[in-house]
Amino acid sequence: MISARALHYVFKIGNRAKNIHFFREILGMKVLRHEEFTEGCDAACNGPYDNRWSKTMIGYGPEASHFVIELTYNYGVKEYALGNDFAGITIASPDIVERARAHGYPVEQGAAGQPSLLRSPDGYRVFVVPEATTADPVQRVALNVTDLAKSRHFWADTLTMVPVETGTTPNRLDLSYDQGKFVLELRQLDAGQALDRAKAYGRIAFAVPYNVQPQLDSTERIQQANGAILTPLITLDTPGKATVRVVILADPDGHEICFVDEEGFTALSALDPDSNAALERYIAKDPFQGQ
């Protein structure tokens, strides 16, 4: 079994100001670090764009102990077409719905016992379970798939995520690397329905020990599981911060998975207390913001 830790999910965003307001003021997350880049990423971290971009890590606690969101912003790109690949993220909180209503933010109330639904400024779905928790409020990320059996072979048999028993919901597979602390939920699309990743497609990231990464950089092994290696093992630099190694995979439906080395990521992801103020400065002087 691969020893791995779930890290974050990547959202491409259009208007940074609107998104930061949503994630910070409505969802109650905190900016953990912010990084600016002058050109595209060698591992397509910002998508297929070779331009200035930024990443903002935002969540409920340090990246060392919490699953967070990476907000990727490409300067000059105002919006991205949404597909049906991302099904939603689930957060446990007794306060989010109240804050949303106080700010006049739309809330789609769930049926009795069901989560409420909010949509980010770019349309990403956030399910809110009205419960307090002492654990990480981010409980799961759900992705749609076209063939649950193929997906199980890739994620469980090849990447060794462990199926988690969470009930008898049909056409769904829950997987975890940490006994269910964080769950990756795979949902079977209706028969014949195609999966469309469109332009807004994201990426989920996990940390693994440095010496485990070569096992994941095996073309034969990944292709036998109907997946692909999008970026073979590569070293990435962040200005003024630690260097990390990553390998980027794709599952049978093209969902992107980043495996980063735990040793490098621990140094890279250290909490930056100045990141919130830095982000505000970049937003204020962004010529594309608000257009």
Side-chain angles (χ1 to χ4, degrees):
M1 176 179 174
I2 296 172
S3 174
R5 178 169 66 92
L7 299 177
H8 55 256
Y9 192 83
V10 180
F11 290 143
K12 297 190 192 75
I13 59 171
N15 187 301
R16 271 194 302 192
K18 289 182 179 179
N19 276 277
I20 291 304
H21 177 266
F22 175 76
F23 284 92
R24 192 174 58 191
E25 310 304 333
I26 306 300
L27 298 187
M29 295 182 175
K30 297 182 183 300
V31 175
L32 306 172
R33 60 184 169 104
H34 178 77
E35 296 154 5
E36 295 275 334
F37 302 86
T38 58
E39 57 186 17
C41 172
D42 288 340
C45 301
N46 61 318
Y49 303 92
D50 187 18
N51 50 249
R52 184 182 173 193
W53 65 288
S54 75
K55 73 164 68 166
T56 303
M57 311 306 293
I58 191 164
Y60 293 105
E63 293 177 73
S65 56
H66 290 69
F67 188 88
V68 308
I69 298 299
E70 177 179 322
L71 301 177
T72 296
Y73 173 69
N74 285 290
Y75 281 81
V77 182
K78 299 177 183 179
E79 62 181 355
Y80 301 88
L82 282 176
N84 64 349
D85 53 336
F86 179 76
I89 183 170
T90 299
I91 299 173
S93 168
D95 307 316
I96 289 176
V97 170
E98 181 179 344
R99 281 197 300 267
R101 288 176 174 152
H103 283 84
Y105 208 93
V107 176
E108 298 175 41
Q109 190 68 48
Q114 296 300 310
S116 297
L117 172 62
L118 282 71
R119 298 178 190 269
S120 78
D122 292 279
Y124 302 115
R125 302 203 296 177
V126 179
F127 294 98
V128 179
V129 178
E131 299 173 355
T133 178
T134 57
D136 184 356
V138 180
Q139 296 182 332
R140 62 178 56 218
V141 163
L143 303 177
N144 288 322
V145 300
T146 56
D147 188 323
L148 202 56
K150 285 185 178 180
S151 295
R152 183 186 184 102
H153 178 54
F154 182 86
W155 290 93
D157 300 338
T158 305
L159 300 187
T160 72
M161 291 195 82
V162 178
V164 178
E165 183 58 51
T166 56
T168 58
T169 304
N171 299 321
R172 192 180 97 183
L173 174 64
D174 291 348
L175 301 160
S176 181
Y177 277 126
D178 55 15
Q179 294 79 50
K181 180 181 177 183
F182 170 81
V183 171
L184 174 65
E185 176 186 329
L186 303 180
R187 298 182 181 179
Q188 172 77 57
L189 289 170
D190 293 338
Q193 184 178 1
L195 187 138
D196 179 15
R197 297 174 65 234
K199 296 291 185 181
Y201 63 87
R203 175 183 288 179
I204 193 166
F206 301 91
V208 294
Y210 187 91
N211 60 5
V212 169
Q213 286 179 305
Q215 302 175 36
L216 298 164
D217 191 26
S218 168
T219 301
E220 181 179 5
R221 183 181 182 214
I222 298 302
Q223 287 184 346
Q224 285 179 348
N226 297 300
I229 297 178
L230 301 180
T231 303
L233 199 54
I234 188 175
T235 299
L236 297 179
D237 296 319
T238 298
K241 296 187 178 182
T243 295
V244 297
R245 288 200 325 181
V246 303
V247 56
I248 312 298
L249 309 180
D251 81 347
D253 286 296
H255 292 295
E256 296 188 3
I257 313 109
C258 173
F259 283 97
V260 59
D261 72 288
E262 180 73 80
E263 295 84 348
F265 187 79
T266 297
L268 173 65
S269 62
L271 185 66
D272 180 0
D274 299 323
S275 56
N276 191 70
L279 172 60
E280 294 286 2
R281 290 195 300 271
Y282 279 108
I283 290 175
K285 63 183 181 181
D286 183 356
F288 301 104
Q289 204 61 72
Q291 297 182 12

